[in-house]
Amino acid sequence: MAVDAAKLPNTAHATEDVGTIPQWKLMVRRFRKSKLSVSGLILLIILYTLMLLSDFIAPYQHNRIDSNYAWAPPSQLGFANGKVVTYALKQTLDEVRFEWIYAPDLENPIPVEFFVQGYPYKFLGIIPSSLHLFGVPEGSQINLIGADKDGKDVFSRLLKGSQISLTLGFVGVLISVIIGSIVGTASGYFGGPIDNIIQRLIELLRSFPDIPLFLGLAAALPMGVPVEVRFFLITIIIAMIGWTGLAREVRAKVMAFRASDYTSAAIAAGGSHWHVITRHLIPNAMSHIIVVGTLAIPGAIGSETALSFLGLGILPPAVSWGVMLRDAQTIEAITNYPWMLLPVGVLIISVLSFYLLGDGIRDAVDPYA
Amino acid sequence: MTTQATSINLTSHDDVVRVEDLKVNFYTQLGVVNALNGVSFNIPRGRVLGIVGESGCGKSITGLSIMQLVVAAGRTEAGRIMFREFAGQEPPINILEYGKNSPEMRKIRGNNISMIFQEPMSSLNPCYTVGNQIEEAILLHQTDDKSEASKRAVEVLTKVGMPNPDRIAASFPHELSGGMRQRAMIAMALSCNPTLLIADEPTTALDVTTEAQILDLMRGLQSEIGTSIMFITHNMGVVAQMCDEVAVMYMGRVVERATVDDIFYEPRHPYTISLLQSIPRLGRSKGRLSSIEGSVPDPYSTTPGCSFHPRCPVAIKGLCDTIVPEETIVDAAKGHTVRCHLNS
Amino acid sequence: MLNFIARRLINMVVLLVVVSFVGFFIIQLPPGSILDVQLSKMRALGGDISRDQMKAMAERYGINQPFTTRYYKWVSRSLQGDFGTSFATDQSVGDRIWGRLSISLGLSLFALLFTWLVSIPIGVYSATHRYTVPDYLVTLFQFIGLAIPGFLLALVMLIIATRYLNQQVGGLYSSEFQDAPMSIAKFRNLIEHVWIAVLVLALGATAGLTRVMRANLLDVLNMQYIQTARAKGLDEAVVIWKHAVRNAIHPLVASLGTLLPALVVGETLVAQVLSLPTIGPMYLDALRQQDMYLAGTILIMLSALLLIGNLVSDLLLAWVDPRVRLE
Amino acid sequence: MTTDDMLLEVRGLKKHFPIRTGLMRRVTGMVKAVDGINFHIRKGETLGLVGESGCGKSTAGRAILRLHEPTAGEVIFNDPVLGKIDVTQADRETMMKLRPNMQIIFQDPFTSLNPRLTVGQIVGEPLEIQHRARGTELSDRVAELLKEVGIRPENMTRYPHAFSGGQRQRIGIARALALNPSLIICDEPVSALDVSIQAQVLNLLDELQAKYGMAYLFIGHDLSVIEHISDRVAVMYVGYIVEMAKTDKLYFSPKHPYTEALLNAIPKADPRLRTRPVRLQGDVPSPANPPSGCYFHPRCRYAKDICSVERPPLTDIGDEHFVACHFARELSLTGVQALSDITLEMPKPRSL
């Protein structure tokens, strides 16, 4: 009975003709029912928007060093004369521990100005601009979430770092999804010797433990190359290691769809390989590929962070969340300057959001599984 | 509306089970399904009652309700299931008063009432040997002695016609064919000499020749041991071969109850008649089959009046589509009742 | 059965040969050689190296020989149990690896045990109490467990342990036990040091496995044989633990093969933070210093571990599930 | 008999599936799903192909269409344009021309329609592939086809999930009908349907055949359905055809012990026929490891020594009655008994 009910058309929305709603729209509907997954999606949209606008929002260049502000705590904000203000820092030397102690100078409010001119950058990578969302007058500094050991603004670095951290994993997975889908489809659809060779290759690649292989490859990367090249190479490594699992899953799906009666019907009508693959196999496997891909992104983001953290990934002066976390390795750093851990917070949020999103898509795609 | 069903008493004190006005709803994500809308019937002791109907009519749910094995989404809203372990037991036990996992219910399950299912391929746990799974029931209800239990398991395997019972007992389910597995299931079900055996489409997944073997076996064992059987099926041929009494179900209601001869030769409900007319019969002339128009309505909708009226060729406008027909007696002596306005 | 193991072992050897070749290739990919590293090291120490010394070193390490020759030399010596000499420390590679690998393995096995002991019951509970508040909580913790990086957890636990529990953590033993012979006290000391690492290592895997266990059990609970077991009159607890869990555990066993090496290496970051003398940091150092014999050997050892893990999981699978035939 | 009305001749068709074991995926055996079958279908007739699960009947149907590449044998198809062509040898181009004339209907109405396509797209797909129609012409043709199978054309924009099993099966029939085939392979088209829906679909198939004159290869396991729809019937057992004859002949006077056993085993929908005839013992052997000689001999109660040694060929014993049994002419077997109809009448309202 329960099985019978599952097979029956969905007639919950009695007022409309559910029959005319394509499957993907039904999936979107089911997805929207899961509040956790929707919130994951919203968080990701926010994160990626911030990433795109990072140069506009960041008040300082991520590498701007100001030794006067080493380990400066987050700036205190306040209201004065109807304006948002921050306060300058009074520095005193702790003569016992030989450390600077900072305290806000509450007597001297500094107005925070909006839409100010700052360092030049290219908006969205194209339009030259020097407009920034906010800033304080020359001579003072605002560190919304504090500064690091060189007095670099953590807020600006966090934004700049997201450009690498949020794209590298994403692009890496995208590439591995493309490779995995093509190889998996070829393997599953044509079978025979092609399948055999591909499967042997995957088996060989899978005989390497992935993390060590990953580290080995990363260590093999040339050191002195520009950031973009290194970014690209690490992306390729992430993609190279990730595609095998996806190829196997796509292969299994494609084999199932290939054996399905509707595919047989298309072949019986004279449909070409191209027709069958593009009309029946890819569209049906697509939702599965999206799910697997989405759930692979958090792992890839984590890989980048870990690599950079270990000094094998993105290298300074470039900045990613992993690079930033190198400064937060010790108990002292964390207990004295807890804001150094913020990249982890953002990392957790983005990873969690991807998991929630992927989980929601999976449930929406396959509601009875 | 009051239902008359419970007041119809065509039954003696020797019914193994009497189901009275059973109502079960399923609460699913897509809505509420009225799986059973007041089902009443009785299973006379030592007889085979066939429950026949198309998919989704609630026949399996009825069987599972007696075992209290309906999944969590299904809730019993009303009704009684009166069980008499031995003839004349007074008062009978209302099974529904026991909790699903209560010790009382577990003592009935597998011991007094046992059940076999449609899919012989998936009815046995692949991780344990056939013998182990049969012994499990014996150890639970009959004896604490392990060697005694395994001896009885082999005995009961012999009884169901296993050619090599010792070897079968030591086999894993995947090593047996579908027919053999169904035999093993029957052996397991009969291992504690139950009062009632509920067989839910036990031969549907089998090939014709194997089906014939299993039906013969069940019929033979039934007349030998005298166990009552509730035989759930959609196949009219199986009903004719296996059953003494028949209850025809449609959309969660029993629409007709009668002896097997009456169902086949003097059916009264238009649904029963249409069903019989729509099956191609061996050795009959060809030509157009008379079919039932339309299809079974989806379970989330509710049909006013007689649930069969939209497909009924003789439905009366203004009556059949508004008022649910009561169960009426056609022949009290033979226990023939029907739920149809044209017969009242 | 024996036939199966024999064939699998042969296949493993073939794979290992290919893996060692590829591994060796990757390891010696980086531009510049150990020589450059050594040179800069010595210069940093204030000394300098003569041309003759350099030549001697190049000779010794086979720097200028073609790739295949170096590979052949390395492999043939490895087969005799001589894994070569670490460039960096002049210690035998074999000796250095064994000590650390065994610590790593020990840690991982503990973590594995913990993972299974925790994730199976929780998974079962959450599957049998679907859509209840505890189930949602478990799901939430699973996601958080997946999302929090291990090293952060290690740091946090480290802070909690040192600040609030007054525990010594980091390293394997306190200084007083460092060179002492094994005793009950030393063992206790070991446990005190190691529990954070085990916990941290296990947590990520536990989150994942709990999810898998829950999903599997939900699938199995829909199976007909579960209904059969209930129809026998078995108590629901027996139905779940005897009939359902055994079938649901199947994919967990199957994942054992990949889980073990993942745990062994997954601790790299954690070990870094907790300063544990395990194989991960060592591998990392070897890579950084282009210590190719050492790194290559570790990589191949880990591959071997993966392949052995897969074999073990296949055997276990056959033991758990009689349908799996070894042929 | 003229050969002109011959539509399909299958000669020695074999389909073996390799069994691969071990790590090297070596072929260690063959599942002889179809192991050399011969039959023919004339234009406009229905041949029933009946057998128990695993006997190779579906594989045979698919091998004819080259949905499975046949291992050996000939499949001669009499194409209305190209004439007689061996399908197994046809190149891609010829195949493309042949395909419209041989179509297929599947068993499972829930998996045979792509859930991502609308009914219109599904039924129109063959027309599109064969470039028969496009645009409004295409949708007109699709509407016509849907009407033909009893689905309202307005349903073109709906997706398969909105239909019941019986309706989906009708959509599958419309798809097969789209290219005006002269042969449709019906692969258990009513097995998954409820009894009342089964009758509707069988009637539809009958009507379409009467109107368009295509031939059916009707594959099934339900002997009553096969009897109802077929002109001739072939019985398969473990990859072989053991008997083939006109329907009445086969049902009323079977010549192969297996056919007799099958007919005996059917539960008859008549309580008066509760006989307990001798039943077939044992199980159908696996096509990967069949017995020696006549595959049926271990279960055959008439078996003699020769049966375990020599495999009997399918031979014509007269009037297109083919039997593969050493003793076909000697045995007297019982078939179905002709029954008098039970006439059932609908109840009439007493007061109106």
Side-chain angles (χ1 to χ4, degrees):
Chain A
M1 180 66 218
V3 179
D4 293 343
K7 282 185 179 175
L8 279 156
N10 177 352
T11 47
H13 314 275
T15 46
E16 58 181 327
D17 183 5
V18 181
T20 56
I21 303 170
Q23 219 188 7
W24 67 267
K25 271 194 185 166
L26 289 175
M27 287 176 188
V28 170
R29 255 182 212 198
R30 285 195 291 259
F31 177 80
R32 291 207 326 233
K33 279 188 185 161
S34 161
K35 291 198 182 66
L36 268 181
S37 311
V38 173
S39 46
L41 181 64
I42 292 171
L43 278 174
L44 285 176
I45 292 172
I46 293 173
L47 281 172
Y48 277 88
T49 312
L50 287 177
M51 180 199 87
L52 285 174
L53 304 176
S54 57
D55 280 315
F56 168 65
I57 298 170
Y60 304 111
Q61 235 156 356
H62 67 276
N63 277 330
R64 205 189 80 140
I65 293 174
D66 190 336
S67 48
N68 284 329
Y69 285 86
W71 297 123
S75 306
Q76 195 170 333
L77 295 177
F79 265 107
N81 309 328
K83 274 192 152 185
V84 182
V85 294
T86 183
Y87 303 96
L89 289 173
K90 275 194 290 198
Q91 283 178 325
T92 44
L93 191 66
D94 178 337
E95 299 195 356
V96 185
R97 289 163 59 195
F98 285 100
E99 269 177 10
W100 287 110
I101 295 175
Y102 296 98
D105 180 4
L106 296 173
E107 310 293 306
N108 290 318
I110 302 160
V112 177
E113 318 232 334
F114 290 93
F115 301 104
V116 294
Q117 293 297 318
Y119 71 90
Y121 63 95
K122 282 192 178 138
F123 186 68
L124 297 178
I126 321 163
I127 310 154
S129 164
S130 57
L131 190 71
H132 291 265
L133 181 63
F134 66 94
V136 289
E138 202 70 30
S140 52
Q141 190 160 330
I142 178 167
N143 302 115
L144 276 186
I145 45 177
D148 70 2
K149 63 176 191 293
D150 302 321
K152 288 178 280 197
D153 180 33
V154 175
F155 180 68
S156 301
R157 285 174 70 74
L158 199 57
L159 282 168
K160 187 70 184 176
S162 72
Q163 288 186 346
I164 283 177
S165 290
L166 285 178
T167 49
L168 200 150
F170 188 86
V171 175
V173 169
L174 197 69
I175 295 172
S176 76
V177 160
I178 292 169
I179 300 174
S181 304
I182 293 172
V183 173
T185 307
S187 189
Y189 183 79
F190 293 105
I194 297 178
D195 183 36
N196 220 336
I197 291 168
I198 292 173
Q199 289 312 305
R200 286 318 85 154
L201 179 67
I202 290 179
E203 191 185 331
L204 173 68
L205 283 176
R206 298 212 128 197
S207 301
F208 284 103
D210 46 5
I211 303 168
L213 182 62
F214 193 69
L215 294 174
L217 285 170
L221 296 180
M223 288 288 174
V225 295
V227 182
E228 295 78 26
V229 177
R230 198 162 175 86
F231 175 91
F232 174 74
L233 291 173
I234 292 176
T235 311
I236 296 296
I237 292 175
I238 289 180
M240 285 310 293
I241 289 171
W243 71 270
T244 53
L246 196 93
R248 283 201 165 175
E249 297 207 32
V250 172
R251 170 175 176 267
K253 285 279 160 184
V254 164
M255 281 171 92
F257 293 133
R258 185 188 153 73
S260 74
D261 287 342
Y262 53 79
T263 307
S264 295
I267 295 172
S272 58
H273 293 314
W274 180 247
H275 175 91
V276 170
I277 290 174
T278 54
R279 188 72 173 269
H280 295 291
L281 304 185
I282 301 275
N284 278 298
M286 192 52 89
S287 50
H288 186 73
I289 292 172
I290 291 173
V291 170
V292 176
T294 312
L295 288 173
I297 293 173
I301 291 179
S303 298
E304 184 276 323
T305 312
L307 270 189
S308 303
F309 180 77
L310 292 173
L312 292 172
I314 299 296
L315 299 174
V319 62
S320 76
W321 295 342
V323 172
M324 293 176 76
L325 284 173
R326 287 178 70 83
D327 295 333
Q329 279 193 55
T330 57
I331 301 187
E332 291 73 39
I334 293 170
T335 45
N336 295 337
Y337 321 112
W339 57 87
M340 294 307 294
L341 267 182
L342 261 158
V344 193
V346 187
L347 176 73
I348 292 176
I349 291 174
S350 58
V351 164
L352 194 60
S353 302
F354 270 114
Y355 276 128
L356 292 175
L357 176 70
D359 216 52
I361 299 177
R362 183 178 47 204
D363 286 351
V365 163
D366 206 356
Y368 301 112
Chain B
M1 191 188 313
T2 59
T3 162
Q4 222 180 312
T6 44
S7 62
I8 290 191
N9 195 353
L10 300 164
T11 57
S12 67
H13 277 299
D14 206 12
D15 288 329
V16 178
V17 159
R18 231 161 73 195
V19 175
E20 295 172 1
D21 198 27
L22 187 64
K23 288 186 176 142
V24 174
N25 285 350
F26 275 74
Y27 296 87
T28 70
Q29 287 180 329
L30 303 179
V32 180
V33 179
N34 303 319
L36 300 182
N37 289 318
V39 167
S40 306
F41 61 87
N42 57 295
I43 307 170
R45 191 168 303 275
R47 309 271 278 172
V48 182
L49 171 78
I51 305 270
V52 68
E54 294 177 283
S55 58
C57 72
K59 53 190 192 300
S60 291
I61 299 295
T62 309
L64 291 171
S65 289
I66 297 175
M67 291 293 275
Q68 288 244 54
L69 285 178
V70 179
V71 292
R75 211 179 298 156
T76 308
E77 309 286 343
R80 297 200 299 174
I81 296 174
M82 308 308 283
F83 172 64
R84 279 191 180 82
E85 191 188 339
F86 44 87
Q89 181 186 353
E90 280 302 339
I93 302 162
N94 181 5
I95 285 176
L96 291 179
E97 280 172 10
Y98 296 143
K100 281 189 177 182
N101 194 27
S102 65
E104 294 89 351
M105 196 59 230
R106 280 188 272 121
K107 220 184 137 251
I108 293 177
R109 264 187 227 139
N111 191 24
N112 297 327
I113 309 179
S114 53
M115 186 160 182
I116 51 180
F117 300 96
Q118 178 174 355
E119 290 291 334
M121 292 300 166
S122 57
S123 294
L124 291 162
N125 192 329
C127 287
Y128 300 98
T129 61
V130 170
N132 181 322
Q133 295 185 57
I134 297 173
E135 284 161 32
E136 200 177 17
I138 300 173
L139 284 170
L140 200 63
H141 301 295
Q142 304 275 307
T143 173
D144 288 331
D145 183 355
K146 281 215 160 186
S147 61
E148 169 71 16
S150 58
K151 210 182 86 195
R152 281 208 214 167
V154 173
E155 270 171 27
V156 74
L157 280 171
T158 319
K159 213 191 234 171
V160 295
M162 288 289 199
N164 201 340
D166 288 299
R167 197 180 52 80
I168 298 287
S171 314
F172 286 99
H174 69 270
E175 296 164 336
L176 306 181
S177 68
M180 292 293 221
R181 288 187 213 188
Q182 205 57 300
R183 275 175 203 266
M185 275 303 289
I186 293 171
M188 186 192 295
L190 296 180
S191 62
C192 299
N193 298 314
T195 316
L196 172 66
L197 172 67
I198 301 173
D200 187 358
E201 307 244 10
T203 58
T204 304
L206 303 175
D207 277 320
V208 213
T209 54
T210 320
E211 175 177 51
Q213 292 170 12
I214 297 293
L215 291 178
D216 283 354
L217 172 73
M218 290 185 72
R219 205 61 235 201
L221 287 171
Q222 198 270 334
S223 53
E224 189 186 318
I225 314 170
T227 304
S228 316
I229 298 180
M230 174 174 157
F231 200 104
I232 299 165
T233 181
H234 68 272
N235 185 331
M236 291 309 270
V238 172
V239 172
Q241 297 302 307
M242 267 306 286
C243 306
D244 303 316
E245 324 261 330
V246 183
V248 182
M249 285 186 73
Y250 188 77
M251 293 280 293
R253 286 198 181 88
V254 173
V255 294
E256 187 162 11
R257 291 197 265 169
T259 61
V260 69
D261 283 358
D262 278 4
I263 285 288
F264 279 88
Y265 308 129
E266 286 176 48
R268 301 298 285 266
H269 199 285
Y271 177 63
T272 316
I273 296 167
S274 313
L275 211 53
L276 286 166
Q277 286 175 337
S278 64
I279 46 172
R281 298 194 193 197
L282 272 190
R284 285 284 171 73
S285 56
K286 294 194 171 196
R288 207 185 148 77
L289 291 164
S290 74
S291 62
I292 310 178
E293 288 311 310
S295 51
V296 182
D298 88 78
Y300 300 97
S301 63
T302 43
T303 316
C306 170
S307 44
F308 187 61
H309 86 261
R311 305 174 72 190
C312 182
V314 291
I316 304 165
K317 263 209 174 131
L319 177 65
C320 294
D321 51 4
T322 44
I323 301 165
V324 181
E326 302 295 343
E327 185 169 28
T328 42
I329 302 167
V330 177
D331 184 336
K334 288 197 281 182
H336 193 161
T337 70
V338 64
R339 257 180 192 271
C340 175
H341 290 299
L342 289 120
N343 282 288
S344 55
Chain C
M1 175 79 174
L2 280 175
N3 192 8
F4 168 80
I5 295 175
R7 269 211 312 246
R8 277 295 292 266
L9 286 175
I10 293 169
N11 190 52
M12 251 171 74
V13 171
V14 174
L15 273 174
L16 270 179
V17 169
V18 185
V19 163
S20 69
F21 195 80
V22 178
F24 193 76
F25 176 74
I26 292 169
I27 298 301
Q28 60 83 58
L29 260 187
S33 65
I34 180 68
L35 225 52
D36 304 328
V37 180
Q38 290 283 70
L39 269 175
S40 54
K41 215 182 196 174
M42 288 194 175
R43 286 200 182 110
L45 290 171
D48 209 341
I49 293 178
S50 71
R51 196 168 283 267
D52 281 350
Q53 272 175 301
M54 270 177 71
K55 220 177 184 178
M57 277 177 76
E59 194 78 15
R60 187 168 146 219
Y61 295 131
I63 298 288
N64 295 326
Q65 282 161 331
F67 172 72
T68 43
T69 318
R70 275 178 286 154
Y71 172 73
Y72 174 75
K73 272 190 173 175
W74 175 63
V75 167
S76 54
R77 268 190 283 124
S78 299
L79 286 177
Q80 293 155 20
D82 171 13
F83 293 106
T85 312
S86 161
F87 290 144
T89 60
D90 279 349
Q91 243 180 317
S92 151
V93 167
D95 291 350
R96 290 194 62 194
I97 292 177
W98 285 125
R100 286 188 166 233
L101 195 61
S102 48
I103 294 171
S104 277
L105 258 177
L107 270 180
S108 303
L109 285 175
F110 266 121
L112 195 68
L113 201 69
F114 180 89
T115 304
W116 278 56
L117 284 180
V118 173
S119 55
I120 293 174
I122 295 184
V124 169
Y125 182 87
S126 131
T128 49
H129 296 76
R130 199 148 64 125
Y131 306 136
T132 60
V133 175
D135 178 36
Y136 286 126
L137 280 179
V138 168
T139 309
L140 192 69
F141 277 114
Q142 282 161 2
F143 278 121
I144 294 173
L146 284 175
I148 293 183
F151 69 94
L152 174 77
L153 210 64
L155 269 174
V156 173
M157 304 267 302
L158 208 59
I159 293 169
I160 294 174
T162 45
R163 285 277 157 107
Y164 303 103
L165 300 177
N166 263 329
Q167 283 251 355
Q168 283 193 330
V169 276
L172 281 184
Y173 304 102
S174 308
S175 46
E176 67 263 33
F177 288 107
Q178 204 64 276
D179 297 313
M182 187 47 96
S183 63
I184 294 174
K186 185 173 177 177
F187 187 71
R188 265 194 58 186
N189 188 258
L190 175 72
I191 299 292
E192 277 170 13
H193 276 83
V194 143
W195 69 269
I196 290 187
V198 170
L199 215 60
V200 168
L201 275 182
L203 224 68
T206 306
L209 274 191
T210 311
R211 279 189 77 64
V212 175
M213 187 66 206
R214 177 179 182 270
N216 289 343
L217 196 69
L218 285 175
D219 280 350
V220 171
L221 284 177
N222 281 327
M223 293 287 172
Q224 190 68 74
Y225 54 79
I226 296 302
Q227 215 46 323
T228 307
R230 289 194 184 122
K232 268 185 224 174
L234 290 174
D235 186 42
E236 190 63 19
V238 180
V239 173
I240 301 276
W241 288 99
K242 181 179 172 187
H243 288 272
V245 170
R246 175 137 181 206
N247 284 285
I249 223 160
H250 191 136
L252 259 68
V253 176
S255 70
L256 196 68
T258 44
L259 196 61
L260 198 59
L263 279 173
V264 169
V265 195
E267 36 80 287
T268 308
L269 275 93
V270 176
Q272 186 98 336
V273 172
L274 296 178
S275 53
L276 294 173
T278 56
I279 198 87
M282 185 187 200
Y283 179 62
L284 206 64
D285 283 343
L287 287 175
R288 284 211 192 101
Q289 295 172 10
Q290 316 231 321
D291 194 346
M292 65 166 147
Y293 284 169
L294 183 58
T297 309
I298 296 177
L299 183 60
I300 286 148
M301 289 262 182
L302 292 174
S303 294
L305 203 62
L306 176 75
L307 293 171
I308 292 170
N310 280 338
L311 178 62
V312 170
S313 91
D314 280 356
L315 293 176
L316 269 178
L317 212 55
W319 177 64
V320 170
D321 186 345
R323 280 170 300 180
V324 176
R325 248 178 286 161
L326 302 177
E327 47 183 38
Chain D
M1 190 204 311
T2 59
T3 48
D4 269 347
D5 66 341
M6 202 58 86
L7 180 67
L8 182 80
E9 285 170 86
V10 174
R11 296 186 198 131
L13 184 67
K14 287 186 184 181
K15 177 64 198 174
H16 296 179
F17 294 100
I19 309 168
R20 292 175 194 275
T21 47
L23 292 159
M24 299 302 146
R25 319 301 301 151
R26 268 192 306 267
V27 178
T28 51
M30 283 287 180
V31 176
K32 297 175 179 177
V34 178
D35 203 18
I37 57 171
N38 304 294
F39 65 83
H40 60 265
I41 299 175
R42 292 197 189 81
K43 288 175 182 164
E45 83 167 339
T46 301
L47 176 70
L49 189 58
V50 69
E52 294 181 278
S53 57
C55 72
K57 53 192 191 297
S58 281
T59 310
R62 285 169 192 244
I64 290 168
L65 294 184
R66 282 179 71 182
L67 292 175
H68 291 318
E69 211 53 48
T71 309
E74 294 174 9
V75 175
I76 312 290
F77 182 71
N78 190 355
D79 188 87
V81 180
L82 303 172
K84 290 195 175 184
I85 283 183
D86 184 355
V87 177
T88 61
Q89 301 300 320
D91 55 28
R92 248 196 111 71
E93 212 173 306
T94 321
M95 229 27 232
M96 185 75 180
K97 289 180 189 151
L98 281 172
R99 289 219 178 269
N101 294 312
M102 337 164 67
Q103 287 293 297
I104 180 164
I105 304 169
F106 301 96
Q107 172 175 5
D108 188 343
F110 289 94
T111 57
S112 59
L113 308 179
N114 189 340
R116 272 161 217 276
L117 302 181
T118 62
V119 170
Q121 286 170 319
I122 289 168
V123 176
E125 187 181 12
L127 296 164
E128 233 179 281
I129 290 173
Q130 292 288 340
H131 309 291
R132 293 281 174 91
R134 51 163 61 176
T136 48
E137 198 192 336
L138 178 69
S139 56
D140 287 350
R141 175 82 181 115
V142 170
E144 204 179 298
L145 284 163
L146 287 176
K147 244 184 275 173
E148 199 75 74
V149 296
I151 301 273
R152 278 180 292 125
E154 301 90 272
N155 284 318
M156 260 170 70
T157 54
R158 304 178 87 204
Y159 287 83
H161 65 78
F163 297 89
S164 67
Q167 289 170 316
R168 288 182 195 215
Q169 209 56 314
R170 289 169 186 269
I171 295 165
I173 294 173
R175 171 174 64 192
L177 216 56
L179 296 169
N180 283 321
S182 39
L183 172 70
I184 296 184
I185 293 178
C186 306
D187 190 358
E188 307 229 23
V190 296
S191 304
L193 303 177
D194 271 325
V195 211
S196 66
I197 311 300
Q198 175 178 307
Q200 295 173 3
V201 173
L202 287 175
N203 285 338
L204 175 67
L205 287 172
D206 266 340
E207 286 157 18
L208 292 172
Q209 188 172 46
K211 190 166 171 187
Y212 296 104
M214 73 286 250
Y216 291 141
L217 174 63
F218 195 100
I219 299 163
H221 68 267
D222 185 329
L223 284 132
S224 324
V225 169
I226 292 279
E227 187 200 21
H228 175 82
I229 196 124
S230 310
D231 301 311
R232 290 184 304 122
V233 175
V235 180
M236 273 186 88
Y237 187 74
V238 201
Y240 273 93
I241 290 179
V242 293
E243 184 166 9
M244 178 162 62
K246 287 180 183 143
T247 307
D248 284 354
K249 272 243 167 95
L250 190 113
Y251 278 74
F252 289 105
S253 50
K255 292 290 176 200
H256 196 286
Y258 177 63
T259 313
E260 181 193 40
L262 264 186
L263 292 169
N264 246 317
I266 310 169
K268 322 271 182 313
D270 189 339
R272 278 180 299 208
L273 294 177
R274 272 199 195 182
T275 47
R276 200 68 76 76
V278 182
R279 295 295 198 207
L280 206 53
Q281 294 306 312
D283 290 313
V284 180
S286 152
N289 185 22
S292 63
C294 171
Y295 289 175
F296 187 60
H297 87 263
R299 304 173 76 192
C300 181
R301 57 187 172 130
Y302 310 103
K304 298 210 167 66
D305 290 346
I306 184 175
C307 299
S308 61
V309 185
E310 202 180 302
R311 196 158 88 175
L314 188 68
T315 35
D316 194 347
I317 58 165
D319 195 16
E320 286 209 302
H321 197 146
F322 296 85
V323 191
C325 175
H326 293 298
F327 306 101
R329 287 166 209 272
E330 295 148 47
L331 297 173
S332 77
L333 307 174
T334 45
V336 173
Q337 294 129 38
L339 299 170
S340 58
D341 275 339
I342 310 164
T343 40
L344 302 173
E345 277 183 28
M346 282 290 170
K348 290 190 184 68
R350 276 177 216 163
S351 55
L352 233 173

